[in-house]
Amino acid sequence: MRVFPFVISLIVVAGAVAWQQGLVGAAAQAPKPKAPPPPIPVIATAVKVEDVPVYGEGIGTVQASNTITVKVRVDGELTKVVFKEGQEVKAGDILAQIDQRPFAAALAQAKAARAKDEALLANAKADYDRYKVLVPKQAASQQQLDTQSALVAQYQAQIAGDEAAIDNAQIQLDYTTIRAPISGRTGVRLVDEGNIVHANDEGGLVVITQLKPVAVVFTLPQDRFDDMQAALARGPVSALAFRRDGVTKVGEGTVALIDNQISSDTGTLRIKAMFPNDDLKLWPGAFVNVKVLLDTHHDVVTIPAQAIQRGPDGFYVYVVKPDDTVEKRAVTTSGISAGTASIATGLAAGDQVVIDGQYKLTPGARITLRPPPAAPPAKSVSVGAPA
């Protein structure tokens, strides 16, 4: 009966092995804990406190400060054209010449008439002086003296008329030399050399446009009237002109005036600004976008406009916390201009807000900051080059 204890030992050993294998199987079947999600890469920027300019924006048209159609003032043959089309001229520069010979002859004739009348006057004065001596001696009558005195006055009047005729002939002669009345740029020549021109010709000789300075007339909504008036009361108001893309600046000037009435058709006020235009980027007839500086708000909390998101309850941003997570924070804005948002409530200096990657975020999400992309290098563009 020694077999019985041995069997019992085998049963105990087998049970222990089975129990151990059960523990191992249970451990193998137990679920493993999930790894945390990777942080979300975003770009963030610090909240700034800065001065924010307040602009009024409108669309305007460039106008020449002066436009003159040069016309001839006497009739004759156009013997010489001095200017070139598109040339910059200064006031007083010679543009063209009309045949001077008829006018020089008229001037010489007027001077000759004056010389004749001066000779007659001298003779009349001599006779008058003689009569003055003879009348007291009763060698001549008083009537003869009075007649001679009237004759002297007549010749003096004739000489005055001769002087006026000489001045008029000189003016007519001067008109044969056509000069630029203003400084500016000439346009297309309207009359060719050799033509007969007249003072009453409608077309004129050439149009001169003054481009330095140049004016821009633009409109603002009538709601901006009080702001514009207040800005002008504080001093000169700066104006910036941009191309139609709204980015390329083509001039800086100052507001000259507000029109004396608001358009009842459009509800806008017309404003005129003057620009030095030294680089000639503003050309008459072109449309430009204009910004006028109405005011400057100081110490304003600002962030890039792309940081702001719109939700059912209003605007919000994602703020980066010290533990590299984000929180959703409601904000209110006082205005957005040129890609910058002015924050009225919700943020303070030193906060960091997410400006790229917000669509992947939820409150409490872990993030990793990545640097902003480098600005692309400037491209060289050749006008007229094939693409």
Side-chain angles (χ1 to χ4, degrees):
M1 300 302 294
R2 294 178 178 269
V3 178
F4 183 71
F6 177 74
V7 172
I8 293 175
S9 298
L10 289 176
I11 293 172
V12 171
V13 172
V17 171
W19 178 77
Q20 185 176 5
Q21 289 178 348
L23 290 179
V24 173
Q29 295 176 0
K32 296 181 180 180
K34 293 183 179 180
I40 301 171
V42 298
I43 299 175
T45 188
V47 174
K48 297 180 181 179
V49 177
E50 57 188 350
D51 294 342
V52 177
V54 178
Y55 290 101
E57 301 184 18
I59 298 176
T61 306
V62 182
Q63 296 181 356
S65 52
N66 287 293
T67 300
I68 302 294
T69 300
V70 180
K71 295 188 175 183
V72 300
R73 304 181 70 172
V74 293
D75 300 348
E77 180 186 353
L78 192 64
T79 58
K80 185 185 297 183
V81 175
V82 180
F83 73 93
K84 295 181 180 179
E85 295 173 318
Q87 175 186 346
E88 289 282 346
V89 296
K90 295 181 179 179
D93 286 353
I94 296 176
L95 301 178
Q97 187 75 54
I98 294 175
D99 186 7
Q100 294 184 326
R101 292 173 296 176
F103 302 95
L107 177 60
Q109 186 177 6
K111 289 181 177 180
R114 180 183 63 180
K116 174 185 175 181
D117 291 335
E118 286 175 344
L120 293 173
L121 176 61
N123 182 62
K125 282 184 175 180
D127 289 344
Y128 176 75
D129 292 338
R130 284 192 289 268
Y131 284 131
K132 284 179 63 176
V133 175
L134 295 175
V135 168
K137 298 179 180 180
Q138 296 183 352
S141 65
Q142 183 66 37
Q143 182 180 1
Q144 288 177 309
L145 179 62
D146 294 341
T147 300
Q148 196 63 33
S149 175
L151 187 60
V152 169
Q154 176 183 341
Y155 288 143
Q156 288 175 334
Q158 282 184 274
I159 291 175
D162 294 336
E163 294 288 350
I166 290 172
D167 291 341
N168 180 65
Q170 183 64 60
I171 290 173
Q172 299 300 307
L173 179 60
D174 292 341
Y175 283 162
T176 61
T177 301
I178 304 168
R179 299 179 181 272
I182 62 171
S183 298
R185 182 182 289 262
T186 61
V188 177
R189 185 176 66 250
L190 303 177
V191 180
D192 295 330
E193 187 176 301
N195 281 281
I196 302 298
V197 293
H198 304 85
N200 60 356
D201 288 342
E202 293 185 1
L205 180 63
V206 68
V207 176
I208 298 178
T209 302
Q210 188 173 1
L211 302 177
K212 301 177 185 179
V214 76
V216 175
V217 177
F218 61 99
T219 59
L220 289 180
Q222 64 179 13
D223 297 339
R224 287 294 196 179
F225 177 74
D226 292 338
D227 296 334
M228 193 75 247
Q229 286 279 65
L232 287 172
R234 290 191 294 268
V237 177
S238 64
L240 304 176
F242 297 83
R243 296 199 187 281
R244 295 304 300 276
D245 59 9
V247 177
T248 307
K249 186 169 69 173
V250 291
E252 298 184 15
T254 55
V255 173
L257 63 93
I258 303 175
D259 199 4
N260 55 9
Q261 61 182 356
I262 294 175
S263 172
S264 58
D265 296 330
T266 60
T268 58
L269 61 151
R270 281 165 37 102
I271 300 172
K272 184 177 184 179
M274 299 301 298
F275 294 79
N277 201 30
D278 293 330
D279 52 7
L280 296 178
K281 289 185 177 180
L282 293 170
W283 210 254
F287 289 98
V288 292
N289 292 338
V290 182
K291 292 183 179 181
V292 288
L293 182 61
L294 300 177
D295 200 358
T296 300
H297 294 166
H298 300 284
D299 299 328
V300 178
V301 175
T302 63
I303 60 174
Q306 66 263 33
I308 298 179
Q309 306 294 302
R310 182 186 290 273
D313 299 325
F315 294 124
Y316 67 91
V317 298
Y318 281 107
V319 179
V320 178
K321 299 173 64 176
D323 59 355
D324 290 336
T325 62
V326 293
E327 68 169 322
K328 182 179 178 180
R329 187 179 299 179
V331 295
T332 58
T333 66
S334 57
I336 298 177
S337 177
T340 299
S342 301
I343 304 300
T345 60
L347 293 174
D351 289 338
Q352 271 199 324
V353 294
V354 178
I355 61 173
D356 185 70
Q358 302 98 311
Y359 68 95
K360 299 179 181 178
L361 298 179
T362 57
R366 292 174 58 245
I367 55 100
T368 180
L369 297 178
R370 59 187 176 90
K379 295 182 179 180
S380 177
V381 179
S382 299
V383 178

